[in-house]
Amino acid sequence: MAMTSYPLKVSVQTGDTLSFVPFIRGWDSTATNVNVVVSTPLHGDLQVINNWFDTISYFSNIEIDSRYYTPVRPRTPRNFPGFRYIPKTGFTGGDTFTFKITTNKDSTQTVKCAVRITPPEPGAMTVLLVVNQTLLTSIQTEVNRLKNDLENEGYKARVLPFAYSNTTAKQLWDSLVAEYDNQTRMLAGTILIGQLPYLGGNGNGSITKESAFWSMSKWQEEMDADTIRKGLSNVTGYFVGNTGYNGAHFTPGFMNIWMSRIYGLDSYGRTITTLGTEVELIKRALDNNHNYRTGASRLPQTAFSYNMYAKHITGNDGKKLLDIWPNYMQHSSNNNTHPFNFEFKQGGEIWNLVTHGNAGQFNALLNGSNGKVWDYNTSMLQNSNVSVRFLLADLCHAGGLGCIVNQHLLVKNSSCVLAMAPTDYISQGFYLWDTSATRFPPHKYTRDYLAKGERWGRSWLRGNGWIWASFYGDLSLKPKMTLPNIKPLITSVTPVMNSGMSWKFSVEAIDSDDGITAYDWYGNGYQTGKVSPDSSSQSKTFSITYNVAKICTLRVEVVDHYMARDYAEIIIKTDSGVIANNVNTSVEASSPVLKRGNTLSLRPNPFNPGTTIDLGSLFSGKGLLRFEVLSIDGRVIYQSTLSKTEKQISWNGRNNAGKPVHAGIYLFRITAESRKYEIRGMLTK
């Protein structure tokens, strides 16, 4: 079989050096006398590298999980040539060269390689907003606002209406290629808004090949077919990985643009009835985007990591996230605290996790043991507030269209603007904390570029080289686009049942920086956010009279000046009392109905360095109380035993060893016999 090669399109940022190999079909690994003839490019220096994979240090010690990936070195024979292209200083635009490879066995045709040298983003590069043309009329205002936001940051932006019915993924790719080939526009990436074609997959958790839209050289489906038909031994270079199930994965340089989606349907293209219509959900995601870009929405600038296996991460490795974010917390692999009471309770910029999962669930296991721990499922997610800005989730199949990762952008009052996960098996490319410079893919470099202030899409293009995942939201965003903000914190909710089925609820909450602006009360439950609050005001109290005896959930949300939220729920039987008080998940389901005065209070709150808990008339008689102070991740840092006759308990902000503890949120727990009371407080420094 004669050697052939596809025309190539590669991209490199000005100031970078690009090393790459061509795509050759029919390469003979026993060939000798390899000779490469190239033309001279006008705007860069081109070097031919013989035995390319032995020469490039990045690939010399490549680590690949043999369970899922075909190692690079066997895929590309030792005698295979490659190129190194170095753009001339300060030049941006297009360049070309040609090459022809001959051996003692065969030769290729003369092949054209188009090189695009880009400025750093935004750099007047173009973001293409491809919008479902049927949907566009309903979201025109929000799309125009996103276009304006991009232009205000220095991008160029264009809106391209695109028909979904009777069109294919290849036709969508052709439209992107036409935009990319227009050098005057210098396409950076695209955001696909609404239901638009995709490659692969046909239902819940199905594998989609979004990498097809990142490379502009050849349509991936054709390349996959070529690979399968000709066999691995006859296809060399250009991409790595198994074919068919995982598809082709492009090496650096051949990923030319970034691509993300804003998608508001389920995985079968149906309305997510529990959340809202497609128009409502896409507007919600576009609102989140705008609020983050403009600083209207702010969260703490904390990075969280969790690795179920603790295989590729130690405490020190996780701290590499401090290269980008000023604060870091590791959710230990042996800590079963639910994310709603760890990451979401505190709020932050990124949650980078590795765990088991599927289309509708995150399933944490303790250090890889068997059994569910979190049971973090779609239903739970839809009733939460997502208080993390970026979700980088490494778990199998959860990145499918409309699946659980996608829905982090769609739940009511979410702060999430970018969520990423594999649609296939777990991918090491999502270990953003990893320190290895040789494990494939090179996640270390993505982190390095983010730390330098690059956008998410550009950092992935320059630093990773591995896209077998879906990206929901907007890859033109970057970390820390807003100032930090401390989330509000609900410390207690008091239910008081009066005559009949009349109830009065009161809430205590703290916000240590900008203050609370609203209290939203839901007397009959949150119902995945599809109902409006019964009361939204600055009142800490809420009264309601129920007409029928039933079990229902009272929910209160507190909101600060920058749209950060905390919420708490109490489950009641309207004619008899409290079933469960879920202000803190450890409160027992048998909690009694609380009468006036029968609650804990904490003064001061926030505090530094110490505070006092007022027990009121909660306890009396003989016996002992157990007093505990717990960190947000559930560790007991201080404990003591006191008499029930005590009316106040003071804590000086020190642990059992007498050392001062760090600033943060702490849980104060008082236990006596079968009764347990808790209240949260914030230690500031």
Side-chain angles (χ1 to χ4, degrees):
M1 181 184 67
M3 285 198 301
T4 59
S5 179
Y6 300 136
L8 303 179
K9 298 176 184 177
V10 294
S11 298
V12 58
Q13 183 165 304
T14 182
D16 287 355
T17 296
L18 177 63
S19 297
F20 64 98
V21 291
F23 184 99
I24 303 294
R25 191 176 65 211
W27 182 265
D28 189 333
S29 61
T30 66
T32 59
N33 301 326
V34 178
N35 183 50
V36 183
V37 177
V38 298
S39 65
T40 302
L42 294 177
H43 303 293
D45 296 324
L46 180 67
Q47 303 169 11
V48 175
I49 306 171
N50 293 316
N51 304 325
W52 189 83
F53 272 74
D54 285 334
T55 306
I56 302 301
S57 60
Y58 164 70
F59 287 101
S60 61
N61 297 306
I62 211 74
E63 302 171 28
I64 294 186
D65 190 332
S66 60
R67 293 175 302 169
Y68 304 130
Y69 317 131
T70 299
V72 174
R73 290 170 65 89
R75 278 291 301 277
T76 302
R78 303 178 75 92
N79 62 347
F80 196 71
F83 304 106
R84 180 183 290 119
Y85 180 90
I86 306 171
K88 291 184 178 178
T89 302
F91 177 80
T92 60
D95 200 1
T96 61
F97 68 90
T98 61
F99 66 89
K100 182 176 181 179
I101 302 175
T102 62
T103 71
N104 67 323
K105 300 288 185 69
D106 207 342
S107 66
T108 68
Q109 78 278 31
T110 299
V111 181
K112 178 181 178 181
C113 182
V115 184
R116 190 181 69 162
I117 302 98
T118 69
E121 286 188 37
M125 296 185 73
T126 297
V127 175
L128 185 66
L129 306 178
V130 184
V131 187
N132 179 300
Q133 67 178 18
T134 304
L135 186 70
L136 181 56
T137 302
S138 300
I139 59 172
Q140 187 75 64
T141 299
E142 289 76 14
V143 170
N144 289 344
R145 183 182 62 191
L146 174 57
K147 179 177 181 292
N148 291 336
D149 286 343
L150 288 163
E151 290 170 346
N152 288 338
E153 292 172 14
Y155 285 104
K156 296 177 182 177
R158 286 192 347 107
V159 177
L160 175 65
F162 193 88
Y164 173 69
S165 299
N166 301 316
T167 58
T168 66
K170 173 63 161 55
Q171 288 172 310
L172 175 57
W173 181 79
D174 288 338
S175 296
L176 298 179
V177 170
E179 190 76 15
Y180 176 86
D181 288 343
N182 186 330
Q183 292 289 350
T184 62
R185 291 187 178 139
M186 193 67 76
L187 184 63
T190 182
I191 306 172
L192 309 184
I193 302 175
Q195 190 173 27
L196 291 166
Y198 57 92
L199 178 62
N202 58 0
N204 198 29
S206 296
I207 300 162
T208 53
K209 300 177 181 179
E210 299 287 60
S211 60
F213 299 102
W214 290 62
S215 177
M216 300 285 99
S217 285
K218 187 172 180 64
W219 179 231
Q220 180 170 327
E221 194 172 34
E222 297 172 355
M223 198 153 44
D224 282 351
D226 221 1
T227 303
I228 295 168
R229 182 174 62 251
K230 301 301 180 183
L232 289 176
S233 62
N234 290 322
V235 181
T236 309
Y238 192 25
F239 62 90
V240 297
N242 290 333
T243 58
Y245 191 60
N246 292 336
H249 308 299
F250 301 109
T251 54
F254 290 104
M255 294 193 303
N256 307 105
I257 65 170
W258 51 259
M259 186 278 279
S260 56
R261 292 182 186 263
I262 296 179
Y263 180 79
L265 298 170
D266 74 4
S267 57
Y268 295 95
R270 304 169 304 196
T271 299
I272 306 175
T273 55
T274 49
L275 288 180
T277 67
E278 180 187 22
V279 169
E280 290 172 333
L281 300 187
I282 288 182
K283 283 186 175 184
R284 187 176 289 173
L286 291 171
D287 286 345
N288 294 345
N289 186 302
H290 176 71
N291 291 333
Y292 174 56
R293 293 191 115 101
T294 60
S297 172
R298 301 180 186 179
L299 289 172
Q301 289 183 348
T302 302
F304 299 98
S305 70
Y306 174 84
N307 185 350
M308 177 182 69
Y309 293 111
K311 181 179 179 181
H312 295 303
I313 178 172
T314 67
N316 290 331
D317 281 347
K319 289 180 180 178
K320 293 302 292 182
L321 294 174
L322 289 169
D323 292 351
I324 307 170
W325 291 278
N327 306 301
Y328 165 71
M329 291 193 71
Q330 181 181 349
H331 194 154
S332 173
S333 62
N334 60 8
N335 178 358
N336 66 356
T337 304
H338 199 281
F340 294 175
N341 294 308
F342 191 93
E343 287 86 357
F344 289 5
K345 175 63 71 172
Q346 298 172 92
E349 276 242 319
I350 186 170
W351 182 26
N352 192 180
L353 74 153
V354 179
T355 185
H356 281 310
N358 55 47
Q361 183 174 327
F362 292 5
N363 182 17
L365 309 182
L366 298 185
N367 283 327
S369 62
N370 294 322
K372 295 180 182 178
V373 174
W374 290 349
D375 191 25
Y376 181 148
N377 56 54
T378 302
S379 178
M380 294 176 65
L381 170 66
Q382 292 176 358
N383 278 291
S384 74
N385 295 149
V386 181
S387 296
V388 291
R389 197 71 69 188
F390 309 113
L391 173 64
L392 190 55
D394 199 2
L395 62 163
C396 298
H397 301 291
L401 282 167
C403 295
I404 188 168
V405 168
N406 185 175
Q407 290 191 26
H408 280 73
L409 277 74
L410 307 179
V411 299
K412 186 176 181 180
N413 297 320
S414 171
S415 300
C416 187
V417 293
L418 183 61
M420 304 161 271
T423 67
D424 198 339
Y425 287 127
I426 204 165
S427 167
Q428 290 185 3
F430 279 54
Y431 299 172
L432 192 60
W433 57 68
D434 194 66
T435 57
S436 173
T438 58
R439 188 178 294 120
F440 193 85
H443 22 262
K444 172 187 182 299
Y445 300 113
T446 300
R447 185 183 68 245
D448 290 346
Y449 289 126
L450 288 170
K452 295 174 182 178
E454 291 276 12
R455 310 280 170 149
W456 276 100
R458 178 61 50 173
S459 297
W460 224 268
L461 284 169
R462 295 178 72 195
N464 197 289
W466 185 265
I467 303 297
W468 55 307
S470 289
F471 295 77
Y472 298 103
D474 181 355
L475 283 166
S476 74
L477 297 169
K478 63 180 179 179
K480 299 182 296 184
M481 291 185 78
T482 67
L483 295 173
N485 171 46
I486 298 175
K487 269 186 81 239
L489 176 71
I490 294 174
T491 57
S492 66
V493 179
T494 304
V496 176
M497 182 179 176
N498 298 314
S499 59
M501 289 184 285
S502 178
W503 289 76
K504 183 175 182 178
F505 303 90
S506 60
V507 62
E508 292 296 329
I510 54 176
D511 190 291
S512 62
D513 51 359
D514 53 46
I516 294 168
T517 60
Y519 299 84
D520 292 347
W521 295 91
Y522 298 83
N524 288 282
Y526 188 62
Q527 302 176 44
T528 64
K530 293 193 71 176
V531 296
S532 299
D534 297 297
S535 172
S536 181
S537 68
Q538 293 186 321
S539 176
K540 293 183 176 182
T541 63
F542 171 68
S543 297
I544 185 172
T545 299
Y546 295 96
N547 297 322
V548 296
K550 61 180 180 179
I551 295 175
C552 70
T553 301
L554 179 284
R555 178 174 175 128
V556 59
E557 298 192 351
V558 296
V559 191
D560 73 7
H561 284 275
Y562 292 107
M563 304 175 72
R565 291 175 175 261
D566 191 20
Y567 73 93
E569 294 179 335
I570 295 178
I571 303 173
I572 64 171
K573 183 75 162 52
T574 58
D575 63 342
S576 58
V578 174
I579 296 174
N581 186 330
N582 292 332
V583 175
N584 303 292
T585 56
S586 58
V587 174
E588 296 172 355
S590 59
S591 297
V593 177
L594 301 179
K595 304 300 182 183
R596 294 183 189 277
N598 286 1
T599 60
L600 298 177
S601 63
L602 190 68
R603 299 286 187 276
N605 192 14
F607 57 91
N608 180 19
T611 189
T612 298
I613 300 97
D614 188 351
L615 303 181
S617 56
L618 286 175
F619 304 102
S620 61
K622 297 181 180 180
L624 298 175
L625 305 174
R626 185 170 76 249
F627 171 56
E628 297 171 300
V629 182
L630 293 84
S631 62
I632 193 68
D633 59 0
R635 293 179 297 109
V636 176
I637 62 169
Y638 178 83
Q639 57 186 347
S640 64
T641 303
L642 304 95
S643 169
K644 277 189 177 181
T645 59
E646 297 287 345
K647 299 300 180 184
Q648 291 183 330
I649 303 174
S650 294
W651 182 57
N652 62 4
R654 296 176 179 269
N655 60 22
N656 280 329
K659 296 181 179 180
V661 300
H662 296 293
I665 297 168
Y666 292 90
L667 175 69
F668 300 89
R669 177 184 293 163
I670 315 293
T671 308
E673 299 165 352
S674 62
R675 302 165 67 191
K676 184 188 297 181
Y677 297 90
E678 296 176 338
I679 189 170
R680 291 178 185 260
M682 181 180 291
L683 170 61
T684 60
K685 293 291 187 179

